[in-house]
Amino acid sequence: MSEFVLVAGVRLGAWAWDEVAVELRAAGHGAHPLTLSGVAERRGEPAGQQTHVRDIIEEVERLDLRDVVLVGHSYAGIPVGQAAERIGERLGRVVFVDASVPADGRSFLWGWDSAGVEASLAENDGFWPTPAPDRFAGQGLTDEQIARIANGSTPHPGATLTEPAVLTRSMGDLPATYVKCLLDDPEPSEDVVELLRSDRWELAELDTGHWPMFSRPHELAAVLHRSATRT
């Protein structure tokens, strides 16, 4: 069985994986949800993007994990992808859950019309503020789930979004699963489409929105379990 290190996207902590972690442990896996520096219960800790990469590597090393499946949701795909190439033989697979995928020299905001985000960071002391609950509409979430996400979110340190990724090779060289959530956008981005041409990558789809750990935890856990069998 595999050891899953689970990292949620912007503003979210380890708590976002509660239901998925229960499912993975029931299937016999290890499940290690991780809160990155600067958010949730670690709010106030200084953080840049490379801080988040180190958070992930240090968790793997601290627990002495092997056959590791690194899971990055949304923004967390950026530090998770970088960590995946740095943990060497410990890595079994990397899973990107409706996530951004790193490319050397590019930030999380690369390809965005980023002026609005950058203005928001400037107006909020360098943090990306928590969104209004209506931001989560149309994503397959119940009102209760939306409230849970909105109430549990904390402002996100902006440096993690604007700093460039540092890679020594293409993500296409790593064994990977990309989980596309169809309500958010039915097609993967162009960079992901290109990576999926690699024979080391596979695509999985979920008929839900951008936060499947809340809207479809059982189905997401099943996808993660299947991905581990391919390591």
Side-chain angles (χ1 to χ4, degrees):
M1 293 297 167
S2 297
E3 300 288 348
F4 285 86
V5 176
L6 305 159
V7 191
V10 291
R11 310 182 183 98
L12 300 174
W15 63 273
W17 297 101
D18 286 352
E19 293 173 80
V20 173
V22 167
E23 298 264 357
L24 291 173
R25 291 169 185 147
H29 300 289
H32 312 280
L34 176 64
T35 295
L36 297 173
S37 299
V39 296
E41 72 272 15
R42 299 183 67 178
R43 187 175 180 181
E45 297 180 18
Q49 189 184 113
Q50 294 307 307
T51 313
H52 285 175
V53 177
R54 290 193 297 272
D55 286 342
I56 298 161
I57 295 170
E58 288 171 1
E59 183 75 350
V60 170
E61 294 177 344
R62 181 182 71 83
L63 298 173
D64 194 22
L65 301 179
R66 306 283 170 170
D67 191 18
V68 176
V69 180
L70 292 181
V71 181
H73 161 252
S74 192
Y75 153 79
I78 300 290
V80 158
Q82 292 171 80
E85 76 160 16
R86 299 181 197 179
I87 64 172
E89 64 182 13
R90 294 177 185 268
L91 181 71
R93 197 165 191 85
V94 58
V95 181
F96 296 95
V97 180
D98 222 39
S100 298
V101 177
D104 187 53
R106 294 178 180 174
S107 74
F108 170 70
L109 295 180
W110 182 87
W112 287 43
D113 181 7
S114 60
V117 177
E118 292 169 350
S120 180
L121 298 180
E123 293 166 1
N124 291 278
D125 298 319
F127 286 85
W128 203 11
T130 56
D134 61 7
R135 166 67 179 82
F136 304 99
Q139 295 292 319
L141 296 159
T142 66
D143 289 345
E144 181 180 357
Q145 289 164 345
I146 289 173
R148 185 179 172 209
I149 299 171
N151 293 337
S153 295
T154 55
H156 191 91
T160 68
L161 310 177
T162 59
E163 290 178 358
V166 179
L167 295 169
T168 60
R169 55 177 171 164
S170 167
M171 285 287 100
D173 296 335
L174 297 178
T177 299
Y178 194 89
V179 182
K180 186 71 198 80
C181 296
L182 300 177
L183 289 183
D184 186 48
D185 188 333
E187 300 294 335
S189 59
E190 291 183 7
D191 60 331
V192 172
V193 170
E194 184 61 31
L195 287 165
L196 286 165
R197 300 183 194 280
S198 167
D199 59 9
R200 307 204 75 190
W201 275 56
E202 66 171 2
L203 176 66
E205 296 179 338
L206 287 175
D207 189 16
T208 190
H210 187 60
W211 291 271
M213 65 278 283
F214 297 101
S215 59
R216 293 288 187 272
H218 176 76
E219 292 87 344
L220 177 57
V223 169
L224 297 179
H225 172 72
R226 289 195 296 273
S227 73
T229 67
R230 296 178 60 86
T231 60

